[in-house]
């Protein structure tokens, strides 16, 4: 049985501001449905992704900016970061973890620059949406077996 993650709900404080931000990232607008003043659903999909983000009015009780650690997988971390910066996104510098493959949820152990061998899964760059929901670019050039 397949289990496909296809939507992540993001808590935002200003729906139009969030919509403009994600469209500026290049996300495709799939839905912007207003039922009434208490319910609006905006659904956008990153380029090349099967998983979308959804936010709006009346779609979650989570605090705006409380979602952290969302990963956008890219094949070239330098090019992806440069593209986002050109789009006006405040992306941090590229980093890797001192201990190996994956980074911590804090700044602890971060070393500036891409992974020394540009190992797949090893280089990152972080940014946040206007509410503080946290995203990470992660460079993956070769998938681990079975992935």
């Amino acid at each position: 049985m397949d289990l496909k993650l296809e939507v992540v709900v993001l808590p935002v404080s200003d729906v139009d501001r969030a919509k403009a931000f994600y469209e500026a990232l290049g996300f495709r607008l799939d839905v912007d449905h207003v039922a009434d003043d208490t319910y609006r659903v905006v659904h956008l999909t990153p380029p090349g992704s099967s998983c979308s983000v959804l936010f709006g009015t009346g779609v979650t009780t989570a605090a705006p900016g409380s979602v952290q650690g969302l990963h956008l997988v890219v094949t070239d971390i330098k090019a992806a970061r440069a593209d986002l910066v050109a789009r006006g996104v405040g992306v941090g510098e590229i980093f890797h973890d001192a201990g190996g493959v994956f980074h911590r949820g804090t700044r602890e152990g971060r070393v500036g620059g891409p992974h020394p061998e540009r190992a797949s899964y090893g280089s990152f760059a972080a940014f946040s949406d206007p509410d503080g929901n946290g995203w990470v670019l992660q460079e993956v050039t070769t998938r681990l077996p079975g992935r």
Side-chain angles (χ1 to χ4, degrees):
M1 172 177 63
D2 287 344
L3 298 172
K4 297 178 182 180
L5 178 63
E6 294 197 7
V7 176
V8 173
V9 177
L10 297 178
V12 302
S13 62
D14 182 323
V15 177
D16 289 321
R17 180 181 68 178
K19 179 182 172 188
F21 175 81
Y22 287 103
E23 286 181 315
L25 289 180
F27 285 32
R28 179 189 71 233
L29 178 63
D30 299 316
V31 173
D32 186 346
H33 173 75
V34 179
D36 56 41
D37 290 343
T38 64
Y39 189 67
R40 177 180 178 190
V41 176
V42 177
H43 188 268
L44 297 110
T45 303
S49 181
S50 296
C51 186
S52 302
V53 296
L54 181 147
F55 51 84
T57 305
V59 298
T60 181
T61 58
S66 60
V67 174
Q68 300 297 311
L70 297 164
H71 282 61
L72 293 170
V73 173
V74 300
T75 56
D76 184 332
I77 192 83
K78 290 180 180 180
R81 182 186 178 281
D83 179 67
L84 291 184
V85 168
R87 293 171 182 267
V89 178
V91 183
E93 295 299 321
I94 297 171
F95 66 92
H96 63 282
D97 188 81
V101 175
F102 200 73
H103 66 91
R104 295 168 177 86
T106 65
R107 293 192 175 275
E108 181 183 347
R110 286 187 182 182
V111 178
H115 188 278
E117 290 125 31
R118 292 294 286 270
S120 209
Y121 298 91
S123 299
F124 309 90
F127 68 96
S128 296
D129 75 8
D131 283 292
N133 292 304
W135 292 86
V136 178
L137 298 176
Q138 180 180 31
E139 185 174 67
V140 177
T141 56
T142 304
R143 294 274 178 185
L144 296 174
R147 305 231 185 318

